Amino acid sequence: MDHFHYKNGVYHAEDVPLDRLAQDIGTPFYCYSTATLTRHYQVFSGHFPGAKICYAVKANGNLAILKTLAKLGSGADVVSEGEIRLALAAGVRAQDIVFSGVGKTAGEMAFALEKDIFQFNVESLPELELLSEVAIARKTKARIAVRVNPDVDPKTHAKIATGHKASKFGIGMDQAMAVYKRAAQLKGITVQGVSVHIGSQLTHLEPFAQAFARVRAFVGELRAQEIAIATLDLGGGLGIPYGKEELPLPDAYADIVRRETAGLNCQLIFEPGRVLAGNAGILVTRVVYVKENEGRFFVIVDAGMNDLIRPALYEAYHGIVPVIAPTGDAPTELVDVVGPVCETGDIFAEQRLLKVPKAGDLLAFRSAGAYGASMSSTYNARPLVAEVMVNGSQRAVVRRRQTYEELLARDQLPQWL
Ligand code: LLP
């Protein structure tokens, strides 16, 4: 459920009419709903009393999103020093931060140790050795979990699947025991848990069940070797509806978690990203032209793949709704909704049945709260778009639209020019 809806024929974010917002701040812009984000956090966390919910910052690292979640008690799953800084700046406590990622540098490790974060999720033996050295140099110990790769097929898009053997993520179950034994010998390391994350936008629950069952068995093997396991980080990955499809609800996911972790006596950690932020945001764009070419209709909008790359990169579906509800007699056609970027792949929707909009009309791309703004770029020298958050009838710009001066100021000329 989300709080984007029509009121008197105008699409609203909570109590804020989006046509007014577009008039005031220009297009394109992202718009986030506090009520939706809050509801998603409460539903998810409500299933796991006592667990650490570490929101995956990569989904949307805007400070206003992070602070809204931090105030509800959320921790953070981070993958870079930048994300640690964002989480801390938003008021997330260091003891609620877990650090994932296959390429942590010594500098990032030192920074995380200085801040005393809760846990490093280690993804390789060389990373483990380096982390120990960095910790020893700082006269401290790093608390770790090893991210295991349970080799299950998460049945999701190939570019966001992580839990199968061929992926770069985690350590295969057959090698993981040796890594734990090595970790137990290292002076800079304290072993505290196991972590797993098998992919994103999972729309079936069986892969979770398979992965968690394998991890459960592995915790038993570790304990049999007298390796103490106190935390179990089950990652993120729960999918969301992008259209009208039925998806497993958090309570069905929670049943599986409860079944597979019963009696393990571990502190549970989760790293949800999309399920919290995805449907809490939309991208509002204006139609620049409608063009007909060889019998095909193109709706050309002012947002591009640089602003929302998911359709181009993953063939992802995003619902598209008009901000002003069209009247009944507007013609319906199969149209391509495309951006202005000079790439054939700059397509938001191909052959989508829509009431054909006119130049100047506003459209909203739904489900753009996760991996929307956070993956945007300035490709084609297009400034990063504004981001707005609403809360009831209140609204605030939470990231200014980048100016052309800011865009140009990043480059410097060499002295010979
Ligand atoms: N934990 C780890 C270690 C991750 O790698 C990820 C996502 C998450 C948690 C959060 O997963 P979520 O709950 O959001 O599914 N850009 C892609 C998704 C990439 C996901 C990367 N890792 C997309 O737009 O679909």
Side-chain angles (χ1 to χ4, degrees):
M1 205 199 99
D2 64 65
H3 294 260
F4 297 98
H5 50 95
Y6 287 101
K7 224 185 269 179
N8 305 323
V10 178
Y11 208 49
H12 280 60
E14 303 188 26
D15 299 327
V16 176
L18 289 158
D19 56 343
R20 269 298 300 277
L21 209 46
Q23 229 170 54
D24 295 351
I25 63 161
T27 53
F29 65 92
Y30 278 98
C31 180
Y32 308 127
S33 153
T34 304
T36 312
L37 195 60
T38 303
R39 182 187 147 76
H40 290 170
Y41 182 83
Q42 284 171 342
V43 168
F44 191 90
S45 63
H47 285 297
F48 307 109
K52 266 190 201 295
I53 310 296
C54 295
Y55 167 66
V57 173
K58 64 174 82 69
N60 187 328
N62 188 284
L63 270 187
I65 298 268
L66 295 179
K67 187 149 194 179
T68 302
L69 292 170
K71 284 176 80 174
L72 294 166
S74 184
D77 162 48
V78 301
V79 293
S80 66
E81 178 173 333
E83 288 191 352
I84 301 177
R85 288 176 183 271
L86 277 173
L88 292 172
V92 175
R93 299 177 312 170
Q95 74 221 53
D96 294 328
I97 295 180
V98 297
F99 191 0
S100 306
V102 296
K104 303 176 194 79
T105 64
E108 289 178 314
M109 290 169 176
F111 182 77
L113 286 167
E114 180 197 321
K115 299 297 172 193
D116 199 21
I117 65 154
F118 183 68
Q119 177 171 296
F120 292 79
N121 291 338
V122 171
E123 305 222 15
S124 67
L125 190 56
E127 179 192 336
L128 179 74
E129 303 276 357
L130 178 61
L131 181 58
S132 179
E133 280 170 32
V134 174
I136 291 167
R138 302 190 62 85
K139 301 194 171 44
T140 184
K141 283 181 165 234
R143 290 176 292 270
I144 68 126
V146 172
R147 174 167 173 188
V148 297
N149 182 329
D151 192 23
V152 300
D153 175 4
K155 301 197 171 76
T156 185
H157 191 280
K159 286 208 174 84
I160 51 177
T162 55
H164 56 291
K165 248 191 192 144
S167 101
K168 69 177 178 183
F169 296 100
I171 299 179
M173 297 293 247
D174 41 351
Q175 291 175 46
M177 179 60 80
V179 174
Y180 274 99
K181 288 192 172 155
R182 177 71 185 136
Q185 296 167 346
L186 289 170
K187 296 265 178 311
I189 298 291
T190 302
V191 172
Q192 82 177 7
V194 178
S195 89
V196 67
H197 171 82
I198 57 172
S200 195
Q201 184 57 11
L202 268 65
T203 53
H204 303 277
L205 291 176
E206 308 85 65
F208 284 119
Q210 271 176 31
F212 298 165
R214 285 181 195 170
V215 168
R216 176 192 179 84
F218 187 58
V219 170
E221 290 169 33
L222 289 167
R223 286 178 171 163
Q225 300 289 319
E226 305 200 337
I227 296 169
I229 295 299
T231 66
L232 190 51
D233 181 340
L234 297 178
L238 192 57
I240 61 165
Y242 277 90
K244 295 203 164 39
E245 69 274 30
E246 293 275 321
L247 274 160
L249 291 172
D251 56 350
Y253 169 80
D255 284 344
I256 289 179
V257 170
R258 272 192 291 272
R259 187 180 76 210
E260 297 300 340
T261 60
L264 277 184
N265 219 352
C266 282
Q267 150 107 77
L268 294 185
I269 302 169
F270 296 91
E271 303 170 351
R274 189 187 322 259
V275 76
L276 302 186
N279 274 318
I282 59 173
L283 174 63
V284 178
T285 183
R286 202 178 280 284
V287 176
V288 188
Y289 300 109
V290 178
K291 144 172 173 178
E292 199 219 309
N293 197 25
E294 307 278 346
R296 206 161 158 125
F297 283 96
F298 294 93
V299 174
I300 303 168
V301 297
D302 65 359
M305 64 188 285
N306 66 302
D307 304 311
L308 175 65
I309 203 174
R310 302 195 67 261
L313 197 54
Y314 316 112
E315 294 93 40
Y317 176 97
H318 285 261
I320 300 178
V321 299
V323 168
I324 306 295
T327 52
D329 51 8
T332 301
E333 285 286 351
L334 284 175
V335 301
D336 287 0
V337 180
V338 303
V341 171
C342 294
E343 291 264 352
T344 310
D346 185 22
I347 299 178
F348 292 109
E350 224 174 329
Q351 295 298 285
R352 182 86 55 93
L353 200 58
L354 288 184
K355 296 259 188 201
V356 184
K358 297 183 301 300
D361 286 359
L362 294 166
L363 299 176
F365 297 143
R366 289 178 42 80
S367 317
Y371 308 110
S374 65
M375 294 182 78
S376 62
S377 75
T378 58
Y379 185 40
N380 277 205
R382 292 167 45 82
L384 295 175
V385 305
E387 295 172 54
V388 179
M389 183 174 255
V390 304
N391 183 20
S393 57
Q394 303 180 85
R395 51 182 240 194
V397 173
V398 295
R399 180 180 286 174
R400 280 185 302 104
R401 189 179 305 283
Q402 194 175 33
T403 64
Y404 286 108
E405 290 70 31
E406 286 165 341
L407 190 72
L408 265 68
R410 295 185 314 166
D411 292 358
Q412 314 183 69
L413 290 169
Q415 99 279 355
W416 64 86
L417 290 177

